[in-house]
Amino acid sequence: AIHLFGNSNGQAWEISEWNKTDVNGSYEARGTFANEAAGRHTLYVDVDGATSNDVSYRVTDCSPTF
């Protein structure tokens, strides 16, 4: 099971059993962020008791303005 936890715009959060790895222990996800996700984020992943280094990123609204 993949356990996610982190901080988004100063608010701590976690998702237990967010997803599962494949038989080789790998997982891949792709997608886009909603406009409401704008801000600064830090993410950690825990798989079978092993915690990743933190990944920090910023989401910005890139919608064109006319």
Side-chain angles (χ1 to χ4, degrees), residues 4 10 13 34-35 43 62:
L4 297 181
W13 56 268
N35 289 340
L43 171 69
C62 296

Side-chain angles (χ1 to χ4, degrees), residues 40-64:
R40 296 183 184 275
H41 309 277
T42 303
L43 171 69
Y44 300 85
V45 180
D46 177 287
V47 178
D48 198 26
T51 303
S52 70
N53 294 331
D54 66 312
V55 176
S56 295
Y57 58 97
R58 183 174 180 179
V59 177
T60 57
D61 182 356
C62 296
S63 301

Side-chain angles (χ1 to χ4, degrees), residues 5-58:
F5 57 104
N7 188 297
S8 294
N9 296 321
Q11 293 290 326
W13 56 268
E14 70 177 87
I15 304 172
S16 297
E17 294 198 32
W18 174 71
N19 218 312
K20 295 184 184 271
T21 62
D22 64 18
V23 295
N24 298 313
S26 298
Y27 181 79
E28 183 177 326
R30 296 174 189 224
T32 58
F33 292 98
N35 289 340
E36 298 80 33
R40 296 183 184 275
H41 309 277
T42 303
L43 171 69
Y44 300 85
V45 180
D46 177 287
V47 178
D48 198 26
T51 303
S52 70
N53 294 331
D54 66 312
V55 176
S56 295
Y57 58 97
R58 183 174 180 179

